[in-house]
Amino acid sequence: MRRYRSLFARLAAATFLASTLAGCMGGETFQRGYIVDERAVAQIKKGMTGEQVLTTLGTPSTVSTVGNKSWYYISQTSSRRFQFMPESVVDQRVTAVYFDNALRVERVALYGIQDGKVFDFITRTTPSGGQETSFLTQLFRGTGAFNPFGA
């Protein structure tokens, strides 16, 4: 009888230890900001009004500070492998809608991180310096080097 109690105690301890470790092992993925709907972005055409864009895409994450001529829908996906580890950015995308003076769509661009550079997924081009990349460059700068502990 004593032998079975010892075996039961060992199994209970092993089960407790395994369940405790399993709670820490589950990785997580986090989605923040605007979730890009490719079908909705494809519906945005040149010449649409700002009101039509609001109806299709919803409220932008941010707008340009000068003239309200650019709307940005920002999303970020990050993950962590273990519960106690810090998060790392897996993907970050910005859907930019550019307007003319009459608040009509001029063009739509979908920017993301590809090989550490800002990349337009719609036109498949990387913008050259001096264009409207200052906001996007600042947004993407340092996402791969984030260290919450400051070391």
Side-chain angles (χ1 to χ4, degrees), residues 21-111:
L21 288 176
C24 294
M25 298 298 277
E28 292 180 293
T29 301
F30 304 98
Q31 178 72 38
R32 293 183 180 90
Y34 179 80
I35 298 174
V36 178
D37 182 5
E38 308 264 340
R39 291 178 288 161
V41 172
Q43 292 177 1
I44 304 299
K45 303 295 181 196
K46 185 175 182 175
M48 288 178 73
T49 65
E51 191 172 307
Q52 291 171 320
V53 173
L54 282 175
T55 303
T56 306
L57 296 178
T59 306
S61 303
T62 188
V63 296
S64 61
T65 56
V66 179
N68 195 25
K69 292 185 180 179
S70 302
W71 293 358
Y72 302 100
Y73 297 85
I74 303 167
S75 71
Q76 183 182 66
T77 305
S78 61
S79 68
R80 62 180 174 194
R81 193 166 180 180
F82 302 107
Q83 297 291 328
F84 54 87
M85 297 292 290
E87 296 177 31
S88 62
V89 176
V90 176
D91 187 30
Q92 184 166 328
R93 294 187 180 213
V94 175
T95 303
V97 181
Y98 298 100
F99 294 95
D100 60 11
N101 291 334
L103 203 60
R104 298 243 178 219
V105 175
E106 281 185 349
R107 67 183 177 97
V108 177
L110 180 61
Y111 298 103

Side-chain angles (χ1 to χ4, degrees), residues 4-18:
Y4 291 115
R5 285 185 190 164
S6 175
L7 180 61
F8 180 73
R10 287 182 188 170
L11 285 175
T15 303
F16 176 74
L17 183 61

